[in-house]
Amino acid sequence: MQLDAAPLSSSEISRIARRIDRPLVLVGMMGVGKTTIGRKLATMLHLPFVDADEEIERAAHMAIPEIFATYGEPYFRDGERRVIARLIGEGRQSDRKVLSTGGGAFVDVSTRALVLEKAIAIWLDSDIATLVERVGRKDNRPLLKTGDPKEILTRLRDERQPYYSQAPIHVISSTQPHQITASRILRAIDQWL
């Protein structure tokens, strides 16, 4: 869904913020901008921002690449599921926050069901070229260590799209400023509520 790119006024943002009654959860591929745009969105809404990956690392006392290397992906996904459930809480007004999740979190059936029931799921989407450029900025992506990033990202995006598409809100993240993407998310939330 592409919406107007004009920035929202502070009164429009305040009006939309008052309507948000549960956590906002950003889902989508690695490199799509969930953390960066999530921080911007949280600032605009005057809500706390939480990065699920940072919370997983804090709970495990290990970096995500170390968790993958030491225990494997299934162990990581189990911890991810528990951390996201804790962060979403009961999905009440008092649990309002902006939460960014890892790229595979929404693929998990339990996590996806919880997010869809107790939060507002927002699928941030992007083309493969943009994802490849963005993930190339860091060397901390365990799933990209085994081959060509473009091929891996294309395969993962194709595999995960049926799950991501279950999010009621779908916004494209491209090279525009984060303020524009965050404004598009807010307009989409406003239309959906």
Side-chain angles (χ1 to χ4, degrees):
M1 171 185 305
Q2 281 304 89
L3 300 164
D4 182 12
L8 292 165
S9 69
S10 58
S11 64
E12 288 174 302
I13 294 169
S14 294
R15 180 186 57 75
I16 296 167
R18 285 190 300 273
R19 298 183 68 209
I20 296 170
D21 62 352
R22 57 199 135 166
L24 302 179
V25 179
L26 300 175
V27 304
M29 288 292 295
M30 65 180 94
V32 79
K34 296 181 301 286
T35 298
T36 308
I37 293 166
R39 287 185 200 286
K40 183 65 174 173
L41 188 60
T43 298
M44 291 169 72
L45 292 169
H46 304 288
L47 291 175
F49 172 78
V50 183
D51 183 308
D53 285 348
E54 290 175 6
E55 292 296 317
I56 292 163
E57 290 180 337
R58 191 176 349 272
H61 304 288
M62 298 174 87
I64 289 173
E66 291 175 89
I67 299 169
F68 266 77
T70 305
Y71 300 106
E73 186 175 0
Y75 178 89
F76 170 77
R77 296 295 174 204
D78 183 54
E80 179 180 56
R81 185 180 314 107
R82 287 179 286 143
V83 166
I84 290 173
R86 175 177 53 83
L87 294 171
I88 289 177
E90 296 299 314
R92 309 175 293 240
Q93 181 78 17
S94 61
D95 295 321
R96 291 184 336 142
K97 64 178 66 78
V98 177
L99 172 63
S100 70
T101 62
F106 204 64
V107 174
D108 179 84
V109 65
S110 300
T111 300
R112 188 172 60 256
L114 178 71
V115 170
L116 291 172
E117 178 187 348
K118 298 195 178 285
I120 299 172
I122 299 138
W123 173 22
L124 275 183
D125 195 7
S126 191
D127 61 72
I128 295 296
T130 301
L131 294 177
V132 170
E133 188 274 322
R134 288 178 180 170
V135 300
R137 297 176 191 165
K138 292 187 203 172
D139 189 28
N140 66 341
R141 312 281 184 168
L143 295 177
L144 298 181
K145 301 275 188 211
T146 59
D148 177 58
K150 182 178 180 183
E151 289 174 13
I152 294 168
L153 288 167
T154 301
R155 177 181 51 78
L156 286 173
R157 187 172 184 270
D158 290 346
E159 289 171 359
R160 293 173 175 179
Q161 189 166 357
Y163 306 107
Y164 294 152
S165 66
Q166 293 178 42
I169 296 170
H170 180 201
V171 174
I172 303 298
S173 169
S174 60
T175 57
Q176 76 265 5
H178 301 312
Q179 175 86 19
I180 300 299
T181 304
S183 292
R184 286 182 174 155
I185 290 170
L186 289 176
R187 282 189 175 90
I189 290 169
D190 194 33
Q191 285 181 2
W192 183 73
L193 287 174

